[in-house]
Amino acid sequence: MITIRDLSKRYDDNTVLNGINLDVPTHTVTAIIGPSGSGKTTLLRLIDLLEGPTSGEISFDGVGALTSEDARLEMRRRMVIVFQKPVVFSGSVYDNVSYGLKIRGQGRRDMREKVLHALETVDLSGYENRRARTLSWGEAQRVALARAMVIEPELLLLDEPTANLDPVSTARVEQLIARVIGELHTTVIMATHDMAQGQRLADQIAVLIGGEMLQVGNPGEIFNLPNSMQVAHFVGVENVLEGVIASKEQGLVNVSIGSHVIEGISDLEPGAEVSACIRPEEVILSLTQAPTSAGNTFYGTITSMVSTGPLVRVVIDCGFPLVALITTRSAQELELKRETRVCASFKATGVHIVKG
Ligand code: ADP
Ligand code: MG
């Protein structure tokens, strides 16, 4: 278990990380997600003990890593970091992958077996004699992954492992990462700006925005119950409507959004300034009337329709813009197009209300 308490990092006047708290249980995958410049790489470098924090603590299994140089070096031996830009040395792929074993004094025969197995795991069997510098970016990334896994680290740190790859290579590298994680039974902390990647690979997601850890939870919680407007925007909730709670009855609140009222579920009290978050897939469109179970019904005109494969993203002007995501098939059945007048509805339980 890795415990991070009140960790801050300042460069001159620039506070890059501010009061970070994070618990990473053993044998789990944590994704640190956040936009570019939010401090993800800096946090990984601090966890890797490459760099010291301005203040705060990091401990591994209850032992403070920053208490002495011996403790720091001991912890560093147990982990490995794979940087965003894959680093390969001159020499062969074999030399690259065996590097960590060599400096750890591994015997030759075991070493060959481990290296070949690692190459097989990252789908690079037969590449051992290739010059590492002649590899493509994606292949180099996989060599870096193999080099990290051969030493069987207790903690594997990955910085944006697919940041510069095309979608096909991204899917492949993600698969390989999942395979490496499964084989090593190791603890992983990875940084990514890709929410969907976090959801695919991680048990726990930590949302880092502007150097602050805004929310830590499982992917479902982060995706469906963002705790702030910033997190909601980052995880792709497209309908974030600002308003004030006008009334409350048995957990059901009415939120005034301009001259409109949206019904939702919240513990907050009347008068509270809130944002009502509605996932576009929660919005149902019809030509006449809404299903009676939907608490919220608005009439409006379609202002835009963008097709993304099997789904269509429809924007409706209901006096406020509302985005709906519906299947291409139902868009065709309803004969929807720009200027069509529709009825948009969503249940009160589909409205997630956050403060501010
Ligand atoms: P991310 O990985 O989320 O894109 P980084 O951790 O790389 O974010 O950077 C966060 C901020 O910290 C940036 O504004 C960056 O300019 C600043 N920063 C990072 N490293 C240094 C450094 N060595 N000196 C000064 N500023 C730095
Ligand atoms: Mg980075």
Side-chain angles (χ1 to χ4, degrees), residues 16-70:
V16 173
L17 294 172
N18 191 11
I20 303 292
N21 289 300
L22 181 66
D23 291 327
V24 177
T26 310
H27 302 323
T28 61
V29 179
T30 295
I32 299 167
I33 67 164
S36 175
S38 59
K40 302 182 297 296
T41 300
T42 305
L43 180 54
L44 286 183
R45 290 174 60 87
L46 293 184
I47 298 171
D48 192 41
L49 309 173
L50 274 170
E51 227 175 312
T54 307
S55 60
E57 285 169 32
I58 304 176
S59 30
F60 293 78
D61 301 326
V63 181
L66 304 166
T67 47
S68 71
E69 183 60 9
D70 279 351

Side-chain angles (χ1 to χ4, degrees), residues 101-112:
L101 293 174
K102 241 178 237 159
I103 60 173
R104 283 169 171 77
Q106 179 86 45
R108 231 157 222 242
R109 170 126 16 109
D110 280 357
M111 180 149 77
R112 184 160 184 86

Side-chain angles (χ1 to χ4, degrees), residues 27 111 173 188 331 349:
H27 302 323
M111 180 149 77
V173 168
V188 179
T349 50

